């Protein structure tokens, strides 16, 4: 059976869930599909492109947050709602914040969320909100992972 791009991305997300971002190699993704690593390059030219596709899936369900061109308070509420939805989506996937932040930082692929935010708060405002959201989600994921390994010391651990 021949794999599709969706199969490759799905396998990569499974490997991400099992191994974390550091363990999410092209070899492991290929092994999850029972193919040689070279077979993946039929669908993606490199790991960065695969990360971009994974990021698209992770935040794919984030809604537009209301109509573009709404009034200032509506635009602010829409942007806030989109950032909160994106945070939830990233936290739902192991190392999801790292994947999405990496794809955005290197401008891998196109970010529909960034485009929709830019319609509401401008391009610079959208980048600022995204990176604030990424940082907060990455910090939260790091804390949760440390807690799951018993690595926190003090009242929270």
């Amino acid at each position: 059976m021949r794999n599709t791009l969706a199969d490759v991305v799905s396998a990569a997300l499974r490997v991400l869930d099992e191994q974390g971002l550091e363990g999410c190699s092209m070899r492991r993704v290929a092994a999850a599909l029972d193919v040689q690593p070279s077979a993946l390059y039929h669908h993606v030219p490199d790991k960065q492109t695969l990360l971009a596709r994974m990021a698209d899936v992770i935040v794919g369900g984030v809604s537009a947050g209301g109509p573009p061109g709404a009034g200032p308070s509506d635009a602010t509420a829409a942007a806030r709602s989109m950032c909160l939805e994106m945070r939830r989506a990233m936290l739902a996937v192991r190392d999801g914040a790292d994947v999405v932040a990496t794809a955005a930082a290197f401008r891998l692929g196109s970010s529909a969320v960034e485009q929709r935010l830019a319609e509401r708060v401008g391009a610079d405002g959208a980048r600022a909100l995204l990176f604030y959201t990424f940082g907060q989600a990455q910090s939260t994921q790091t804390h949760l992972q440390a807690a799951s390994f018993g690595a926190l010391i003090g009242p929270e651990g």
Side-chain angles (χ1 to χ4, degrees):
M1 180 176 97
R2 190 173 173 146
N3 291 304
T4 65
L5 175 60
D7 296 331
V8 172
V9 173
S10 180
L13 288 168
R14 286 192 309 275
V15 171
L16 178 70
D17 185 51
E18 295 165 5
Q19 304 288 327
L21 184 55
E22 298 233 354
C24 190
S25 66
M26 296 296 270
R27 278 187 198 279
R28 284 194 172 126
V29 173
L33 291 168
D34 199 27
V35 298
Q36 293 296 316
S38 60
L40 300 180
Y41 295 102
H42 174 75
H43 302 286
V44 292
D46 50 41
K47 186 175 177 183
Q48 291 77 14
T49 302
L50 180 57
L51 284 174
R53 299 291 182 259
M54 293 164 66
D56 289 344
V57 170
I58 291 168
V59 297
V62 175
S63 70
S73 64
D74 292 339
T76 300
R80 178 181 183 276
S81 174
M82 289 176 70
C83 288
L84 289 172
E85 278 188 53
M86 185 171 54
R87 178 184 178 276
R88 279 190 292 274
M90 290 185 294
L91 291 177
V93 176
R94 179 178 177 180
D95 292 340
D98 287 334
V99 171
V100 176
T102 299
F106 293 106
R107 296 206 182 263
L108 302 171
S110 62
S111 171
V113 173
E114 184 174 351
Q115 291 169 0
R116 292 191 311 256
L117 275 172
E119 292 171 357
R120 286 151 181 80
V121 297
D124 290 339
R127 288 296 278 177
L129 286 171
L130 285 175
F131 283 96
Y132 178 82
T133 304
F134 297 154
Q136 200 285 331
Q138 285 172 311
S139 176
T140 300
Q141 274 191 325
T142 299
H143 182 87
L144 292 171
Q145 288 172 359
S148 74
F149 292 121
L152 295 180
I153 299 172
E156 293 183 48

